[in-house]
Amino acid sequence: MSVGVAHREQSFEAAIEAALLGSGWQRGTASHYHRELGLDTAELFAFIGATQQAAWDRLCAYHANPNDAQRHFVQYLAKQIDERGPLDVLRRGVRDKGVAIKLAYFKPAHTITDDAMALYRANRLTVTRQLAYSTQHGNTLDLALFVNGIPLATAELKNPLTGQTVEDAKQQYREDRDPKELLFARRTLVHFAVDPDLVFVTTRLARDKTRFLPFNTGSDGPGVSGGAGNPPAPGEGYRSSYLWEQIWHPDTWLDLVRRFLHTDKETRSLIFPRYHQWHAVTNVAEHAAHHGSGHNYLVMHSAGSGKSNTIAWLAHRLSSLHTPSTLDEDARARGLRPNEPVFDKVIIITDRVVLDRQLQDTVFQFEHVPGVVQRIDKDSAQLAAALQGETAKVVITTMQKFPYVLDKVQGLKGKRFAVIVDEAHSSQSGDSAAALKKVLLKAGSDDIDADGDLLTASALARGRHESLSYFAFTATPKPKTLELFGTPHPVTGIMQPFHTYSMRQAIEEGFILDVLRQYVTYKSYWKLASTDPTDPEVDPKKAGAQLARFVTLHPTMNAQKAEIIVEHFRRHTAPRLGGRAKAMVVTGSREAAVRLHSAIQNYVEMQKYVGCSALVAFSGDLEIDGVEVTEPRINGFSEGELPERFGYTAADDRHAGTPAAKQDTEYRILVVAEKYQTGFDQPLLTTMYVDKLLKGVAAVQTLSRLNRTHPRKAQGDIFVLDFVNEAGDIAEQFKPFYETAAAAPTDPNLLYTAQNAVMGHAILVNSEMQAYAEALLAAEQKATSETALQRAHAALYRFTDPARDRYVALAAEDPEAADAFRSALRDYTRMYAFLSQVVPYHDDELERLYLYGRALLNRLPRRQDPSMDIGEVELTHLRISKTGEHDARLDPEGEQMLPGFTGGGAGRQHDPEKVALSELIEAFNERFGIGLGEGDRVWVEQQIVALAEDGALQAAAMVNDESNFGVVCDKRIEDVILSRHDDNGKLMQRYLDDESLRSQLNQFARRQAYQMIRRNRGIT
């Protein structure tokens, strides 16, 4: 390497050092580093002397002289770090001979005491260049970062002008840095590979197995949509300068040590936040500190973003968050005072048990105080106690528990709450969120006006409230979610996420895989025939749905799909990930899941395949063919065991195939209906078979089950085989969530339009609605228990009797007008439940109509709508064919606008135009039976035709009734089928092996052949 080239790399190193020294770091001296102890002893004792001289003097009294005391202490400290790790030692210090010595002082939550800030400022952060770290050789590190003499981080710097990049820095760590060296094995926590453009980080050196993660802001900067990398730096700076200007800034660096770095309890690996996690937590907390409670925040972080850790860090930060020591006039006008806690409690709403454990483990490492995090796993009394008590700062519960504490929460007047919603869905956007607010405000709400108007209080409780802040996390926000939790653009007013980590960036950075790159579509072609001679007129929409359901659930359809799924799984999926890969089959209904699972199992057994065992997942019980089935009965174990049983792999069980094996059967295929399509994290899933129409958020959430990474899993392992959807349609569903989503704010006057639509019908009377509202709110205020409240609600139904009677009279006279009223009232209540969360109407009339209308809707009788009867229908032709192989990956297109909330519902119901069933079937056949010929006739019908053409059976059918004909037919059926053996060997084999199937087919074929013969001869 020439001197000039070397100089250019040293210039990069010098520029970083200069920036650090300018921000408060001090220059370390390489010779002060004690290689045997892994400590900079000079900086260590300079820190102790400046902060704890009295304690040090007490410790020196145990030794002959100060030198002995220092020699003993550094050896004891090194041993403590070896045993406890540098993080714990820095946070909790050490006790030597009964004397407590702190190794770091962290910034206090408030600045009321100047002494605390003075001690914090006495920390000695040093950066040492070209550190010779080993006792075995003279290799040096470009940079080493110390806190009070304890080394915490190293960095290798590369400059492309020298012909080297960040990839060379990674290689240097892997090849030239021995993980067994003291500095790497038991001292430093994190290692940075840096060049002027990019930064990567690892917390564990393991030679060629060292895994570096990107630590970049995103191609368009932090917190907004974009891809991997970093944007150009302003001026002549480096793209990667945020590392030393922000992350290595003394305040940030000590805050990372204090509040972010922790050990994963299961893997024992150190967790260092990714840049977007740190940026989201600090920016959200900073805004809350400066603006107080009463604001909503939407964090749109993709799958693979490490959301659980982000929530844990945010919860801990909010639990001790204080307002700044100095406030501007606007903040003071909002009632904020300096150095006060922003929130009294942090409440996390989630259904993920793993988050409960993770939060408790993580926060305990920070606080080392049990009970700071409390999970509500019992009853509402436990929740009320946690909200009122002093110990629990973070409370974890589910939204469903909040309505049950209305009568238990006391003494919460003046309290402020941060509510973190894990996966913000519509369940948090309606009445349940309003119920939550009532829970927290009931004990002492200031919303009741001077006249004690409870109706006004109810209306006010629906909107944003100064004592509540929502922090909503989701990868797939709906328009309602954006309106409720989003942040308006200062110019356009468009509702946007407060912080974004996009799916695009997660894919480009390698944290998730792209599920759209290998997308294969199949299409089913089929024809139907009706055996109903009356050819009834039917509602085309309802009858069409039944015809489609008939085809979907048909045994032959399931048999063919099962064959495609199993054969594809064996050829494509089974060998992947070293024989560990698994597949999910997504169906449209519980019955479809059960029937397709059965077809898969039957096919596997018929072919005598191994390694293709399947499970089924659905909720509740179901009756199929007269038999009640449940998920546990089919699988043979409880629902709670399924994730672990499905996750088992024989390849990772050294006792597999022996009595000592952890599990008898390895399950490779999971057939689901609704269940496990969201929140199911199984990295071994590589393939999905889709047999369900997917739209909107459901499409993204369902297919995203495949995007989890695994050490053995690569992009090429991901595969989707879709029987129903088109690849282009699915790509369109992903677009809004690929980068960032936004929504236009709703016109608040829509609600008055909806109100006018309701009141335009002569059904509701203002005095009746007022009487009901007053009685309802009075009952809620007086009720002492949930049971008493339910009794009160039941008694209040009498207030809706007059309106109900008027509706019944109208329905008898003009059914369409009655339907229009019901539809308008339903639209209004839905619209108000949502818009009142967004717009503070403070309008008694609107609230009154909502309260009354919601009760009345429960009492309005519905028009009778008899179920559709399409009679007996036969599937006559079927073919399932591949229609294409697609790479449906998305191109960056920037922010995507979601359709706004417009209100409106089903509208007036009209009687549908009826069509003849035969016409509807013909239309279906034209749509789904394209290109079908006699060679595609389903196997069962082929056998029936063969029977009908048999001369002996024709003679028997002409002179016998069907029962006697069966005696002759049963003797001939198997001979006829065997004679057609070559036509379809697999189905024939199934017919011979499955006695139950054979019996059912024989009975069906006998009846159909008998009718066919006699029909052909003109005999009915």
Side-chain angles (χ1 to χ4, degrees):
M1 183 182 295
S2 69
V3 174
V5 171
H7 176 72
R8 288 196 293 270
E9 186 162 304
Q10 290 171 358
S11 297
F12 183 42
E13 184 180 306
I16 295 175
E17 182 193 47
L20 291 175
L21 297 179
S23 67
W25 287 74
Q26 301 177 49
R27 182 180 286 113
T29 303
S31 60
H32 291 169
Y33 180 69
H34 197 301
R35 302 181 194 183
E36 289 82 2
L37 297 173
L39 297 170
D40 184 330
T41 54
E43 294 296 333
L44 170 66
F45 289 115
F47 164 73
I48 294 175
T51 59
Q52 302 160 86
Q53 188 60 53
W56 180 251
D57 289 342
R58 292 199 304 274
L59 190 58
C60 286
Y62 290 95
H63 300 276
N65 55 64
N67 289 336
D68 285 346
Q70 288 189 1
R71 185 165 51 253
H72 166 83
F73 182 76
V74 295
Q75 291 173 346
Y76 177 70
L77 176 59
K79 185 177 180 181
Q80 285 283 290
I81 296 174
D82 289 345
E83 294 175 356
R84 295 163 48 197
L87 264 184
D88 194 56
V89 167
L90 283 168
R91 288 172 178 165
R92 298 171 56 209
V94 297
R95 296 185 70 87
D96 185 7
K97 296 182 174 60
V99 179
I101 299 291
K102 287 186 172 293
L103 276 305
Y105 287 93
F106 296 103
K107 196 171 186 177
H110 54 76
T111 57
I112 296 175
T113 58
D114 291 334
D115 290 346
M117 284 302 297
L119 290 170
Y120 169 72
R121 296 189 186 101
N123 286 306
R124 299 181 66 85
L125 277 65
T126 54
V127 51
T128 303
R129 294 174 60 181
Q130 298 303 316
L131 178 70
Y133 58 87
S134 176
T135 59
Q136 307 297 319
H137 53 73
N139 289 353
T140 61
L141 290 157
D142 288 343
L143 293 180
L145 305 181
F146 292 77
V147 172
N148 300 323
I150 300 176
L152 294 187
T154 71
E156 290 292 353
L157 315 177
K158 300 299 174 187
N159 192 336
L161 294 176
T162 69
Q164 292 187 311
T165 68
V166 70
E167 295 302 319
D168 296 286
K170 295 180 189 178
Q171 183 179 1
Q172 190 170 15
Y173 272 117
R174 291 183 176 120
E175 296 180 358
D176 299 337
R177 303 294 178 242
D178 185 355
K180 297 179 182 178
E181 289 277 3
L182 176 63
L183 181 72
F184 305 125
R186 298 192 298 278
R187 292 295 179 271
T188 48
L189 300 172
V190 61
H191 310 280
F192 296 90
V194 187
D195 71 14
D197 296 323
L198 298 171
V199 180
F200 286 79
V201 66
T202 185
T203 58
R204 179 174 174 266
L205 297 184
R207 293 293 190 186
D208 59 346
K209 294 181 180 179
T210 302
R211 185 188 181 204
F212 279 93
L213 301 180
F215 191 78
N216 302 301
T217 68
S219 60
D220 295 329
V224 298
S225 64
N230 296 300
E236 298 181 357
Y238 300 107
R239 288 177 182 257
S240 58
S241 60
Y242 62 89
L243 176 65
W244 49 92
E245 292 175 358
Q246 295 179 10
I247 303 302
W248 289 350
H249 186 281
D251 289 340
T252 304
W253 190 243
L254 287 170
D255 190 58
L256 285 166
V257 172
R258 170 69 181 87
R259 300 176 184 268
F260 284 88
L261 274 70
H262 68 276
T263 302
D264 184 273
K265 192 171 183 179
E266 292 186 4
T267 65
R268 305 307 303 165
S269 59
L270 183 74
I271 304 298
F272 189 87
R274 286 148 59 184
Y275 185 87
H276 73 269
Q277 294 174 309
W278 168 82
H279 190 267
V281 171
T282 53
N283 277 261
V284 168
E286 182 178 358
H287 187 278
H290 284 83
H291 293 82
S293 60
H295 298 270
N296 291 347
Y297 305 84
L298 177 61
V299 181
M300 183 179 172
H301 280 193
S302 166
S305 67
K307 188 164 47 185
S308 294
N309 275 323
T310 306
I311 290 175
W313 287 319
L314 179 62
H316 180 248
R317 175 63 61 92
L318 296 178
S319 69
S320 59
L321 187 67
H322 282 64
T323 55
S325 56
T326 56
L327 294 171
D328 58 29
E329 291 184 7
D330 289 340
R332 291 181 181 275
R334 293 194 301 270
L336 297 183
R337 290 183 292 183
N339 287 318
E340 281 201 336
V342 178
F343 302 107
D344 296 284
K345 298 279 183 182
V346 178
I347 304 169
I348 299 177
I349 302 173
T350 180
D351 289 319
R352 293 193 292 163
V353 176
V354 64
L355 184 59
D356 301 343
R357 293 195 301 265
Q358 188 169 333
L359 272 167
Q360 293 179 56
D361 294 340
T362 301
V363 174
F364 183 76
Q365 291 183 49
F366 297 146
E367 299 289 344
H368 236 77
V369 177
V372 173
V373 178
Q374 183 174 356
R375 177 190 176 199
I376 305 304
D377 54 5
K378 295 179 181 177
D379 53 23
S380 55
Q382 182 194 23
L383 176 56
L387 292 175
Q388 295 177 91
E390 296 296 325
T391 303
K393 298 298 184 184
V394 180
V395 179
I396 307 173
T397 188
T398 60
M399 179 65 78
Q400 290 75 13
K401 284 192 171 65
F402 278 98
Y404 300 102
V405 297
L406 286 170
D407 59 327
K408 290 183 171 64
V409 179
Q410 299 295 328
L412 298 181
K413 182 177 177 64
K415 300 289 187 180
R416 295 177 297 272
F417 300 88
V419 181
I420 299 177
V421 184
D422 178 24
E423 282 297 345
H425 297 311
S426 57
S427 61
Q428 278 86 49
S429 63
D431 285 344
S432 52
L436 167 59
K437 292 177 183 179
K438 287 187 178 183
V439 169
L440 302 175
L441 301 172
K442 185 179 186 243
S445 172
D446 293 326
D447 285 339
I448 299 177
D449 64 13
D451 297 325
D453 185 354
L454 290 172
L455 189 61
T456 300
S458 177
L460 288 170
R462 264 174 214 294
R464 296 190 179 188
H465 195 279
E466 64 180 11
S467 68
L468 281 177
S469 286
Y470 280 97
F471 303 82
F473 284 76
T474 182
T476 51
K478 298 177 182 178
K480 283 186 177 182
T481 309
L482 280 160
E483 283 212 63
L484 283 173
F485 303 113
T487 302
H489 188 278
V491 177
T492 65
I494 296 297
M495 303 303 288
Q496 301 171 315
F498 184 87
H499 197 277
T500 297
Y501 176 73
S502 67
M503 181 189 300
R504 173 191 167 194
Q505 186 172 349
I507 290 172
E508 291 184 9
E509 291 187 338
F511 288 109
I512 59 173
L513 301 168
D514 192 339
V515 301
L516 300 180
R517 292 199 183 180
Q518 291 192 80
Y519 207 100
V520 173
T521 53
Y522 274 66
K523 189 171 183 180
S524 301
Y525 302 95
W526 41 265
K527 285 186 177 181
L528 299 173
S530 173
T531 60
D532 190 334
T534 64
D535 197 15
E537 290 191 339
V538 296
D539 176 345
K541 184 175 181 181
K542 294 180 179 179
Q546 286 205 29
L547 290 173
R549 181 176 182 274
F550 168 79
V551 174
T552 300
L553 299 177
H554 197 280
T556 306
M557 176 72 84
N558 280 321
Q560 289 204 20
K561 287 179 179 176
E563 180 178 352
I564 292 170
I565 289 169
V566 174
E567 295 297 342
H568 178 274
F569 179 84
R570 293 184 70 248
R571 291 194 309 270
H572 177 277
T573 304
R576 295 180 181 270
L577 313 191
R580 297 169 175 82
K582 298 178 184 290
M584 177 180 283
V585 183
V586 178
T587 67
S589 70
R590 296 185 301 162
E591 183 176 353
V594 172
R595 292 189 183 277
L596 187 50
H597 170 263
S598 177
I600 290 172
Q601 290 288 73
N602 289 339
Y603 184 79
V604 169
E605 292 172 8
M606 182 184 74
Q607 299 298 328
K608 296 182 171 56
Y609 289 155
V610 295
C612 302
S613 295
L615 294 172
V616 66
F618 64 96
S619 298
D621 51 12
L622 186 66
E623 185 175 306
I624 297 181
D625 299 332
V627 178
E628 186 177 281
V629 296
T630 64
E631 176 188 314
R633 287 177 187 172
I634 296 174
N635 292 333
F637 49 80
S638 68
E639 293 184 48
E641 294 179 74
L642 190 145
E644 184 175 352
R645 295 245 190 177
F646 183 61
Y648 169 82
T649 58
D652 295 316
D653 184 358
R654 60 191 181 93
H655 298 296
T658 73
K662 297 177 182 177
Q663 197 166 299
D664 294 336
T665 305
E666 179 181 18
Y667 299 101
R668 306 290 297 275
I669 301 172
L670 177 62
V671 185
V672 303
E674 299 302 336
K675 217 171 181 183
Y676 295 116
Q677 287 174 236
T678 61
F680 181 53
D681 190 359
Q682 175 45 262
L684 297 176
L685 276 175
T686 66
T687 305
M688 183 172 288
Y689 303 99
V690 181
D691 195 24
K692 175 185 180 180
L693 187 65
L694 295 175
K695 293 288 185 181
V697 170
V700 180
Q701 292 178 336
T702 298
L703 292 173
S704 293
R705 297 312 100 210
L706 298 179
N707 67 18
R708 279 17 180 207
T709 58
H710 184 275
R712 293 176 176 268
K713 191 174 176 182
Q715 181 63 59
D717 294 315
I718 304 301
F719 191 95
V720 179
L721 190 157
D722 198 323
F723 291 106
V724 178
N725 307 278
E726 295 295 337
D729 293 339
I730 292 295
E732 285 296 319
Q733 311 308 309
F734 269 74
K735 272 188 179 180
F737 314 110
Y738 185 60
E739 294 183 89
T740 192
T746 298
D747 178 3
N749 290 325
L750 281 175
L751 196 56
Y752 292 104
T753 302
Q755 179 193 27
N756 292 334
V758 175
M759 300 306 294
H761 298 271
I763 300 290
L764 303 184
V765 176
N766 285 329
S767 60
E768 295 171 0
M769 291 193 291
Q770 182 67 25
Y772 171 83
E774 291 175 354
L776 171 67
L777 295 168
E780 288 185 345
Q781 187 181 46
K782 295 177 182 177
T784 57
S785 67
E786 186 65 25
T787 302
L789 188 60
Q790 291 172 355
R791 284 199 298 266
H793 281 184
L796 291 171
Y797 272 137
R798 69 182 185 278
F799 289 98
T800 62
D801 284 342
R804 181 182 182 277
D805 293 341
R806 287 189 287 271
Y807 173 85
V808 171
L810 179 62
E813 178 183 338
D814 187 348
E816 286 195 5
D819 283 348
F821 168 76
R822 179 203 292 276
S823 178
L825 185 59
R826 183 177 61 248
D827 289 346
Y828 175 83
T829 56
R830 290 175 178 172
M831 194 182 300
Y832 186 78
F834 168 65
L835 288 179
S836 61
Q837 302 287 317
V838 181
V839 182
Y841 288 101
H842 303 174
D843 189 321
D844 287 2
E845 290 186 8
L846 297 179
E847 176 74 6
R848 180 178 62 201
L849 177 56
Y850 169 75
L851 295 173
Y852 188 82
R854 189 175 55 173
L856 180 60
L857 279 170
N858 292 327
R859 303 204 65 205
L860 296 182
R862 296 184 178 276
R863 291 176 66 183
Q864 294 300 313
D865 186 15
S867 60
M868 182 66 57
D869 183 4
I870 60 174
E872 288 195 23
V873 178
E874 294 179 357
L875 177 65
T876 62
H877 297 72
L878 173 65
R879 186 179 73 234
I880 304 177
S881 302
K882 181 190 291 188
T883 58
E885 297 182 4
H886 313 273
D887 182 345
R889 77 180 81 179
L890 297 174
D891 295 321
E893 295 182 5
E895 180 179 270
Q896 298 289 308
M897 289 294 295
L898 297 177
F901 181 78
T902 59
R908 178 175 296 191
Q909 296 179 355
H910 300 282
D911 290 331
E913 293 185 7
K914 299 294 181 69
V915 300
L917 179 60
S918 60
E919 293 180 21
L920 183 62
I921 289 178
E922 182 60 30
F924 266 62
N925 288 342
E926 288 181 6
R927 179 181 176 187
F928 296 105
I930 300 172
L932 289 176
E934 289 305 305
D936 300 306
R937 190 173 291 271
V938 295
W939 184 81
V940 175
E941 174 130 343
Q942 292 173 349
Q943 316 314 312
I944 295 170
V945 171
L947 291 173
E949 293 174 351
D950 184 85
L953 292 180
Q954 289 177 356
M958 297 305 296
V959 296
N960 288 287
D961 60 20
E962 185 175 339
S963 178
N964 291 327
F965 169 77
V967 177
V968 179
C969 187
D970 286 351
K971 297 177 181 179
R972 289 286 297 157
I973 283 181
E974 292 190 17
D975 292 337
V976 172
I977 291 178
L978 285 171
S979 70
R980 298 177 56 81
H981 172 261
D982 293 336
D983 292 345
N984 196 320
K986 291 180 180 177
L987 286 175
M988 191 283 304
Q989 187 65 47
R990 184 178 170 199
Y991 169 82
L992 293 178
D993 291 345
D994 190 332
E995 183 176 346
S996 175
L997 174 67
R998 183 167 64 253
S999 175
Q1000 292 180 25
L1001 282 180
N1002 285 355
Q1003 184 179 0
F1004 175 73
R1006 180 178 64 226
R1007 177 166 55 86
Q1008 294 295 317
Y1010 179 79
Q1011 294 175 355
M1012 185 179 296
I1013 293 170
R1014 293 177 68 85
R1015 193 164 52 244
N1016 291 340
R1017 298 297 179 90
I1019 302 174
T1020 59

